[in-house]
Amino acid sequence: MNQLSFIPLGGIGDVTKNMYLYEYNDQILIVDCGLGFADETMLGVDLLLPDVSYLLKTCLPKGVAKKKIVGMLLTHGHEDHIGALPFVLPQLSDFPIFATPLTAAFANEKLKDFNAKKRVETVNSNDNEKRIGSFSFSFIPVTHSVPDTSHIFIKTPVGNFYHGSDFKFDETPYDGKVSDYAKIARVSSNGVMCLLSDCLGAERKGKTPSEISLTTNFINEIRQCRGKFFVTTYSSNISRLNQIIEASEKNGRRVCFIGRSLIKAKDVARRLGYLNLKKDMEVAIDSLGNYQENKLTLIIAGSQGQENSAMTRLANGEHREVKLGEEDVVVFSSDPIPGNETSVYELVDTITRRGTKVIYAPVMRDFHVSGHASMDELEQLIKLVRPNKLIPIGGQFRHMFAYKKLAERLGYKKSDIFLMEDGQELLFSEKDIKYGRTIQVKNVYVDEMSGEELEGFVLRDRQKLSEAGIIVILAEVDSNNGQLVGNPDIIVRGFMYDVKRLSSRLTHDFRKTLGLRKGRVTNWIYVRKLIGETAERRIYKDLRRRPLVLPVVIEV
Amino acid sequence: MNQLSFIPLGGIGDVTKNMYLYEYNDQILIVDCGLGFADETMLGVDLLLPDVSYLLKTCLPKGVAKKKIVGMLLTHGHEDHIGALPFVLPQLSDFPIFATPLTAAFANEKLKDFNAKKRVETVNSNDNEKRIGSFSFSFIPVTHSVPDTSHIFIKTPVGNFYHGSDFKFDETPYDGKVSDYAKIARVSSNGVMCLLSDCLGAERKGKTPSEISLTTNFINEIRQCRGKFFVTTYSSNISRLNQIIEASEKNGRRVCFIGRSLIKAKDVARRLGYLNLKKDMEVAIDSLGNYQENKLTLIIAGSQGQENSAMTRLANGEHREVKLGEEDVVVFSSDPIPGNETSVYELVDTITRRGTKVIYAPVMRDFHVSGHASMDELEQLIKLVRPNKLIPIGGQFRHMFAYKKLAERLGYKKSDIFLMEDGQELLFSEKDIKYGRTIQVKNVYVDEMSGEELEGFVLRDRQKLSEAGIIVILAEVDSNNGQLVGNPDIIVRGFMYDVKRLSSRLTHDFRKTLGLRKGRVTNWIYVRKLIGETAERRIYKDLRRRPLVLPVVIEV
């Protein structure tokens, strides 16, 4: 039977680790390959991968493989759409990967970092339709919070799909490149069997504000600042970086980039001509001393309060090169990602205690806008594409539900809109659509060692974690001076070691680490993390293993 | 020297567990005695108490006591201002406690529940100034999210204090009782040495919206609802309950209260005439079957996604008497308390999966307003009171900092505004003000056994916890069906027990608990909590002890 199978391996219900399969006969086309972010139940791990065991089972080993991956397409350069490439690609057979220039450059930078051999090929969105296997595709430029974001029009022998991943319809994006409405309408005029649409903003009325609205706010805020001006934002938000650079230049300030992920993104974007940064506008971190404080803007990584980020170190007074002063201003040009609220607000409190003015959402909404479409734009996309069926992707269940209601208001029947789960197959034939198999997908974990950078990752899933064992550390800390009381109690399970010796070494390490920060404890989360990280380092150094470390800090 | 010492034991920097001491010679006057809420680092405990060891040391034993508590005043009936009474009072000597009628009733209800002997005496805010020891005080009615909220004007031999705890200036509160501006101005005309002011809203521009703005929204939303109409809110928000009752009555619906804390608050408020609920308007939970679904409004406890609350059980399909239907609507008439975002949004997702419409903040702001003053109202209070010095209370550091900036804009000097820490003493003399001792205060923990109710609490601090030992449970759960895989691994430390036997019993219990909810796991936080609670119950049953239970759920 002439049948197309659509299977999301990730990206449904939890926003992140996007990965979608289009399967026709023995051919599989993949869209995106993103990372997920762990929640508080996933102790000891920070990142998730989409589960590709279905691909491993059906497409490998080569000799007896039933199916074949014919290619992969990447919609845009965000971690949750390209971040899993270095982990997933080495497991799979060879196939071409396509993306627009900046997306490809971000992806290739990542692959190089991990010494992966594969590279992503660059296509331009005005290229002709490209063919891979039984599929053909073309990229459509849309606006989002990273330049070169695309929707993808995918032709299959059964019908056409409009893969409408993360987007907004910004009429005045900073780089002037608006979404290609004409192309959306043109390709869709061939008929669209199914629209897959971003739904994260489906609960928000109206239209998402334009990025351009922020430039003036940056210019004015910088003008009023008498000390150093700090901004923290997502590294990939190149337009935001451009705005900050422009606002700094207009106020006679030079710009310094702090944090590896940010510097990497800046270098890539500049090389490809996406970042408008004159050579003499930039100051290296070790030359900051040559400039007056009110002549400096510092763009710094760590807007989510990540424990090891440059921003957190700065707030805690632990950054070697830069200190916070009372005349300084810190702007969070980002929203806390749901689940990060506590750590972001802790960070804001810590900065405020240094007497520094902090501007952050939701208190002050003038320095960040969402990259996702609100109701009006989602409707607009539906009206341009005029699909037969709809699947909301990239949202949690409540966003998918809101998208369904929105589509119903436009006249679609309940049965036209499919709310899916990861691993759920949808079978499209020329006649009808029905649910197919349920492919078992589970969370695959990645352990992030280094906070904001990808370099130190060690791939291991939960099984490996439990092989590596677990160590529980009960440490008593005096709340008045933040110092260790007595020796920590250690419980080890799953590996053999001289616990007494480990305990004495850990005691020594904890005293040293905590000794650097004497004073009343105001942030217990941070103390607990310090204890955990110190233990992880020691255990890895002495034992060359990475057990699950559970620090329990008892306040005395 | 004629000197007044002000010491916050709680309420500075973390909003909750409010407790403030005014000390003159050997006399101590206390304002408020509230609970705090634990954060994610405080494994195994949910609640905090203010640390009263300073009072135990200086005021007890009676014979040789250097100081004496002359009385306690309560500003309003919220948990973070009165919730610690049952735990703290039995430790202290006898003294009178005063509050306005509803506050006193809420507090006495709590004391009765815990079989505590003490009772709070009722004062009316139009009563004359009252004297206790060297102090005299009078209550001033202000608006907030619980009726009968007061500010307190406190006269001391050194000077006058205006204790401006949680408030807003609502010109159209639902009960019509506006703040008594005339009294604020009149008492303050005697001169105010220091204003203590709520500062939680010090970052918000303008004025906090009035409670009255919500009534029409409730009426309209209920009118459109074709099934049962659910509202979840804070139990003590009696005006909100009145609005929901009015809106229901206007739409021909009866009201049912679900959840013990809510029923208790309703009963108290009704008895004192604060709740406008006609007898035939109320339906008991076991009579719901006698009414059509579209004739029912259900007010239900658990707006913060608390694990054992009625709302969570309802969402999970585990509530015995009530089920969620597709025509039903659930309104969250509350904001997530910072730190609760993840559990509230998980709850919203779970409800949405049942096909039920959910209305919640920040998506829809029409069903909740804050109870705290924004900038304009904070300024208004300063202008009415015209104090010499100011202390922001009841906020985190960033709110205190914003309050300082606000006061500076009104012409106060930096040195007029004191940003304090818990345990920090401030010494007022007629001439000057200076920092005094630092009293060591630590977190005192309370273990909450029952989710939303206070009844099951067992008081124990961290020391007791560590005496009771720790048990780590490593359970493998299949993500596809939510069932236990193999036997859990148990690590026990700090108490002796036959681990093998415990392990086999726990295996049995886990299988039983998880067996009730077969199906794909979407909420790992909930699974982890289920495992933890089941273990706590078993261990208490078999061992009569409550060790710290650390459940680690491994997804397979």
PDB file of all heavy atoms in Angstrom, chain B residues 509-528:
ATOM      1  N   ASP B 509       5.109  -3.412  48.357  1.00  0.00           N
ATOM      2  CA  ASP B 509       4.350  -2.155  48.437  1.00  0.00           C
ATOM      3  C   ASP B 509       4.427  -1.362  47.135  1.00  0.00           C
ATOM      4  O   ASP B 509       3.433  -0.803  46.669  1.00  0.00           O
ATOM      5  CB  ASP B 509       4.882  -1.273  49.577  1.00  0.00           C
ATOM      6  CG  ASP B 509       4.581  -1.868  50.946  1.00  0.00           C
ATOM      7  OD1 ASP B 509       3.864  -2.886  50.994  1.00  0.00           O
ATOM      8  OD2 ASP B 509       5.068  -1.318  51.947  1.00  0.00           O
ATOM      9  N   PHE B 510       5.633  -1.279  46.572  1.00  0.00           N
ATOM     10  CA  PHE B 510       5.806  -0.494  45.349  1.00  0.00           C
ATOM     11  C   PHE B 510       4.961  -1.092  44.219  1.00  0.00           C
ATOM     12  O   PHE B 510       4.302  -0.386  43.469  1.00  0.00           O
ATOM     13  CB  PHE B 510       7.276  -0.449  44.909  1.00  0.00           C
ATOM     14  CG  PHE B 510       8.168   0.302  45.857  1.00  0.00           C
ATOM     15  CD1 PHE B 510       9.539   0.068  45.877  1.00  0.00           C
ATOM     16  CD2 PHE B 510       7.656   1.239  46.744  1.00  0.00           C
ATOM     17  CE1 PHE B 510      10.370   0.757  46.745  1.00  0.00           C
ATOM     18  CE2 PHE B 510       8.481   1.931  47.616  1.00  0.00           C
ATOM     19  CZ  PHE B 510       9.849   1.675  47.622  1.00  0.00           C
ATOM     20  N   ARG B 511       5.010  -2.435  44.115  1.00  0.00           N
ATOM     21  CA  ARG B 511       4.231  -3.089  43.058  1.00  0.00           C
ATOM     22  C   ARG B 511       2.750  -2.747  43.188  1.00  0.00           C
ATOM     23  O   ARG B 511       2.054  -2.499  42.219  1.00  0.00           O
ATOM     24  CB  ARG B 511       4.397  -4.611  43.130  1.00  0.00           C
ATOM     25  CG  ARG B 511       5.730  -5.076  42.605  1.00  0.00           C
ATOM     26  CD  ARG B 511       5.751  -6.566  42.280  1.00  0.00           C
ATOM     27  NE  ARG B 511       7.112  -7.059  42.301  1.00  0.00           N
ATOM     28  CZ  ARG B 511       8.037  -6.744  41.388  1.00  0.00           C
ATOM     29  NH1 ARG B 511       7.707  -5.976  40.377  1.00  0.00           N
ATOM     30  NH2 ARG B 511       9.272  -7.191  41.497  1.00  0.00           N
ATOM     31  N   LYS B 512       2.309  -2.736  44.438  1.00  0.00           N
ATOM     32  CA  LYS B 512       0.897  -2.479  44.697  1.00  0.00           C
ATOM     33  C   LYS B 512       0.551  -1.027  44.316  1.00  0.00           C
ATOM     34  O   LYS B 512      -0.400  -0.767  43.572  1.00  0.00           O
ATOM     35  CB  LYS B 512       0.606  -2.722  46.182  1.00  0.00           C
ATOM     36  CG  LYS B 512      -0.849  -3.032  46.482  1.00  0.00           C
ATOM     37  CD  LYS B 512      -0.987  -3.490  47.920  1.00  0.00           C
ATOM     38  CE  LYS B 512      -2.220  -2.894  48.541  1.00  0.00           C
ATOM     39  NZ  LYS B 512      -2.236  -3.021  50.002  1.00  0.00           N
ATOM     40  N   THR B 513       1.355  -0.091  44.814  1.00  0.00           N
ATOM     41  CA  THR B 513       1.097   1.327  44.544  1.00  0.00           C
ATOM     42  C   THR B 513       1.149   1.630  43.052  1.00  0.00           C
ATOM     43  O   THR B 513       0.254   2.276  42.492  1.00  0.00           O
ATOM     44  CB  THR B 513       2.155   2.212  45.242  1.00  0.00           C
ATOM     45  OG1 THR B 513       2.227   1.817  46.609  1.00  0.00           O
ATOM     46  CG2 THR B 513       1.797   3.672  45.154  1.00  0.00           C
ATOM     47  N   LEU B 514       2.223   1.173  42.408  1.00  0.00           N
ATOM     48  CA  LEU B 514       2.385   1.469  40.989  1.00  0.00           C
ATOM     49  C   LEU B 514       1.358   0.711  40.149  1.00  0.00           C
ATOM     50  O   LEU B 514       0.954   1.169  39.083  1.00  0.00           O
ATOM     51  CB  LEU B 514       3.810   1.122  40.529  1.00  0.00           C
ATOM     52  CG  LEU B 514       4.920   1.957  41.187  1.00  0.00           C
ATOM     53  CD1 LEU B 514       6.294   1.427  40.804  1.00  0.00           C
ATOM     54  CD2 LEU B 514       4.808   3.424  40.794  1.00  0.00           C
ATOM     55  N   GLY B 515       0.930  -0.443  40.657  1.00  0.00           N
ATOM     56  CA  GLY B 515      -0.061  -1.249  39.934  1.00  0.00           C
ATOM     57  C   GLY B 515      -1.383  -0.522  39.752  1.00  0.00           C
ATOM     58  O   GLY B 515      -2.152  -0.803  38.836  1.00  0.00           O
ATOM     59  N   LEU B 516      -1.647   0.456  40.637  1.00  0.00           N
ATOM     60  CA  LEU B 516      -2.906   1.209  40.549  1.00  0.00           C
ATOM     61  C   LEU B 516      -2.905   2.194  39.390  1.00  0.00           C
ATOM     62  O   LEU B 516      -3.930   2.742  39.035  1.00  0.00           O
ATOM     63  CB  LEU B 516      -3.137   1.989  41.857  1.00  0.00           C
ATOM     64  CG  LEU B 516      -3.327   1.144  43.116  1.00  0.00           C
ATOM     65  CD1 LEU B 516      -3.391   2.039  44.337  1.00  0.00           C
ATOM     66  CD2 LEU B 516      -4.600   0.307  42.983  1.00  0.00           C
ATOM     67  N   ARG B 517      -1.713   2.454  38.847  1.00  0.00           N
ATOM     68  CA  ARG B 517      -1.646   3.460  37.804  1.00  0.00           C
ATOM     69  C   ARG B 517      -0.818   2.949  36.638  1.00  0.00           C
ATOM     70  O   ARG B 517       0.240   3.473  36.335  1.00  0.00           O
ATOM     71  CB  ARG B 517      -1.065   4.783  38.305  1.00  0.00           C
ATOM     72  CG  ARG B 517      -0.659   4.811  39.767  1.00  0.00           C
ATOM     73  CD  ARG B 517      -0.166   6.148  40.250  1.00  0.00           C
ATOM     74  NE  ARG B 517       0.536   6.856  39.222  1.00  0.00           N
ATOM     75  CZ  ARG B 517       0.100   7.979  38.676  1.00  0.00           C
ATOM     76  NH1 ARG B 517      -1.022   8.509  39.083  1.00  0.00           N
ATOM     77  NH2 ARG B 517       0.784   8.577  37.737  1.00  0.00           N
ATOM     78  N   LYS B 518      -1.323   1.935  35.988  1.00  0.00           N
ATOM     79  CA  LYS B 518      -0.605   1.397  34.837  1.00  0.00           C
ATOM     80  C   LYS B 518      -0.714   2.341  33.655  1.00  0.00           C
ATOM     81  O   LYS B 518      -1.750   2.940  33.424  1.00  0.00           O
ATOM     82  CB  LYS B 518      -1.157   0.028  34.455  1.00  0.00           C
ATOM     83  CG  LYS B 518      -0.578  -1.072  35.348  1.00  0.00           C
ATOM     84  CD  LYS B 518      -0.957  -2.464  34.908  1.00  0.00           C
ATOM     85  CE  LYS B 518      -0.354  -3.467  35.888  1.00  0.00           C
ATOM     86  NZ  LYS B 518      -1.221  -4.616  36.129  1.00  0.00           N
ATOM     87  N   GLY B 519       0.364   2.442  32.895  1.00  0.00           N
ATOM     88  CA  GLY B 519       0.335   3.278  31.697  1.00  0.00           C
ATOM     89  C   GLY B 519       1.630   4.025  31.548  1.00  0.00           C
ATOM     90  O   GLY B 519       2.421   4.121  32.493  1.00  0.00           O
ATOM     91  N   ARG B 520       1.828   4.567  30.386  1.00  0.00           N
ATOM     92  CA  ARG B 520       3.040   5.313  30.037  1.00  0.00           C
ATOM     93  C   ARG B 520       3.320   6.410  31.067  1.00  0.00           C
ATOM     94  O   ARG B 520       2.435   7.151  31.457  1.00  0.00           O
ATOM     95  CB  ARG B 520       2.810   5.953  28.673  1.00  0.00           C
ATOM     96  CG  ARG B 520       4.028   6.602  28.114  1.00  0.00           C
ATOM     97  CD  ARG B 520       3.738   7.215  26.754  1.00  0.00           C
ATOM     98  NE  ARG B 520       4.998   7.640  26.210  1.00  0.00           N
ATOM     99  CZ  ARG B 520       5.862   6.799  25.678  1.00  0.00           C
ATOM    100  NH1 ARG B 520       5.575   5.518  25.580  1.00  0.00           N
ATOM    101  NH2 ARG B 520       7.023   7.243  25.226  1.00  0.00           N
ATOM    102  N   VAL B 521       4.560   6.495  31.520  1.00  0.00           N
ATOM    103  CA  VAL B 521       4.906   7.489  32.530  1.00  0.00           C
ATOM    104  C   VAL B 521       5.136   8.845  31.872  1.00  0.00           C
ATOM    105  O   VAL B 521       5.953   8.974  30.970  1.00  0.00           O
ATOM    106  CB  VAL B 521       6.166   7.079  33.305  1.00  0.00           C
ATOM    107  CG1 VAL B 521       6.525   8.155  34.314  1.00  0.00           C
ATOM    108  CG2 VAL B 521       5.944   5.756  33.998  1.00  0.00           C
ATOM    109  N   THR B 522       4.374   9.844  32.281  1.00  0.00           N
ATOM    110  CA  THR B 522       4.596  11.184  31.754  1.00  0.00           C
ATOM    111  C   THR B 522       5.101  12.103  32.853  1.00  0.00           C
ATOM    112  O   THR B 522       5.648  13.144  32.581  1.00  0.00           O
ATOM    113  CB  THR B 522       3.290  11.770  31.183  1.00  0.00           C
ATOM    114  OG1 THR B 522       2.278  11.661  32.184  1.00  0.00           O
ATOM    115  CG2 THR B 522       2.851  11.007  29.955  1.00  0.00           C
ATOM    116  N   ASN B 523       4.917  11.706  34.089  1.00  0.00           N
ATOM    117  CA  ASN B 523       5.275  12.592  35.195  1.00  0.00           C
ATOM    118  C   ASN B 523       6.200  11.853  36.166  1.00  0.00           C
ATOM    119  O   ASN B 523       5.744  11.196  37.100  1.00  0.00           O
ATOM    120  CB  ASN B 523       3.984  13.040  35.889  1.00  0.00           C
ATOM    121  CG  ASN B 523       4.239  14.076  36.956  1.00  0.00           C
ATOM    122  OD1 ASN B 523       5.359  14.194  37.462  1.00  0.00           O
ATOM    123  ND2 ASN B 523       3.224  14.832  37.309  1.00  0.00           N
ATOM    124  N   TRP B 524       7.502  11.982  35.927  1.00  0.00           N
ATOM    125  CA  TRP B 524       8.469  11.247  36.762  1.00  0.00           C
ATOM    126  C   TRP B 524       8.560  11.799  38.166  1.00  0.00           C
ATOM    127  O   TRP B 524       8.865  11.082  39.110  1.00  0.00           O
ATOM    128  CB  TRP B 524       9.840  11.245  36.087  1.00  0.00           C
ATOM    129  CG  TRP B 524       9.867  10.290  34.936  1.00  0.00           C
ATOM    130  CD1 TRP B 524       9.733  10.590  33.623  1.00  0.00           C
ATOM    131  CD2 TRP B 524       9.969   8.856  35.013  1.00  0.00           C
ATOM    132  NE1 TRP B 524       9.752   9.439  32.865  1.00  0.00           N
ATOM    133  CE2 TRP B 524       9.900   8.363  33.685  1.00  0.00           C
ATOM    134  CE3 TRP B 524      10.119   7.951  36.071  1.00  0.00           C
ATOM    135  CZ2 TRP B 524       9.971   7.001  33.402  1.00  0.00           C
ATOM    136  CZ3 TRP B 524      10.194   6.603  35.774  1.00  0.00           C
ATOM    137  CH2 TRP B 524      10.119   6.125  34.461  1.00  0.00           C
ATOM    138  N   ILE B 525       8.299  13.085  38.319  1.00  0.00           N
ATOM    139  CA  ILE B 525       8.324  13.677  39.659  1.00  0.00           C
ATOM    140  C   ILE B 525       7.298  12.973  40.542  1.00  0.00           C
ATOM    141  O   ILE B 525       7.551  12.609  41.683  1.00  0.00           O
ATOM    142  CB  ILE B 525       8.021  15.193  39.589  1.00  0.00           C
ATOM    143  CG1 ILE B 525       9.098  15.903  38.787  1.00  0.00           C
ATOM    144  CG2 ILE B 525       7.919  15.798  40.985  1.00  0.00           C
ATOM    145  CD1 ILE B 525       8.868  17.389  38.601  1.00  0.00           C
ATOM    146  N   TYR B 526       6.126  12.735  39.949  1.00  0.00           N
ATOM    147  CA  TYR B 526       5.045  12.095  40.700  1.00  0.00           C
ATOM    148  C   TYR B 526       5.414  10.659  41.065  1.00  0.00           C
ATOM    149  O   TYR B 526       5.186  10.217  42.192  1.00  0.00           O
ATOM    150  CB  TYR B 526       3.757  12.165  39.872  1.00  0.00           C
ATOM    151  CG  TYR B 526       2.535  11.715  40.628  1.00  0.00           C
ATOM    152  CD1 TYR B 526       2.005  12.508  41.629  1.00  0.00           C
ATOM    153  CD2 TYR B 526       1.931  10.500  40.348  1.00  0.00           C
ATOM    154  CE1 TYR B 526       0.893  12.107  42.344  1.00  0.00           C
ATOM    155  CE2 TYR B 526       0.820  10.088  41.045  1.00  0.00           C
ATOM    156  CZ  TYR B 526       0.298  10.891  42.044  1.00  0.00           C
ATOM    157  OH  TYR B 526      -0.800  10.477  42.740  1.00  0.00           O
ATOM    158  N   VAL B 527       6.009   9.934  40.108  1.00  0.00           N
ATOM    159  CA  VAL B 527       6.413   8.552  40.382  1.00  0.00           C
ATOM    160  C   VAL B 527       7.420   8.515  41.525  1.00  0.00           C
ATOM    161  O   VAL B 527       7.326   7.711  42.447  1.00  0.00           O
ATOM    162  CB  VAL B 527       7.027   7.900  39.115  1.00  0.00           C
ATOM    163  CG1 VAL B 527       7.644   6.544  39.457  1.00  0.00           C
ATOM    164  CG2 VAL B 527       5.979   7.749  38.037  1.00  0.00           C
ATOM    165  N   ARG B 528       8.371   9.445  41.481  1.00  0.00           N
ATOM    166  CA  ARG B 528       9.388   9.481  42.515  1.00  0.00           C
ATOM    167  C   ARG B 528       8.760   9.765  43.885  1.00  0.00           C
ATOM    168  O   ARG B 528       9.108   9.165  44.892  1.00  0.00           O
ATOM    169  CB  ARG B 528      10.401  10.575  42.162  1.00  0.00           C
ATOM    170  CG  ARG B 528      11.622  10.547  43.025  1.00  0.00           C
ATOM    171  CD  ARG B 528      12.677  11.483  42.464  1.00  0.00           C
ATOM    172  NE  ARG B 528      13.629  11.800  43.511  1.00  0.00           N
ATOM    173  CZ  ARG B 528      14.008  13.016  43.827  1.00  0.00           C
ATOM    174  NH1 ARG B 528      13.532  14.054  43.157  1.00  0.00           N
ATOM    175  NH2 ARG B 528      14.861  13.225  44.795  1.00  0.00           N
TER     176      ARG B 528
END
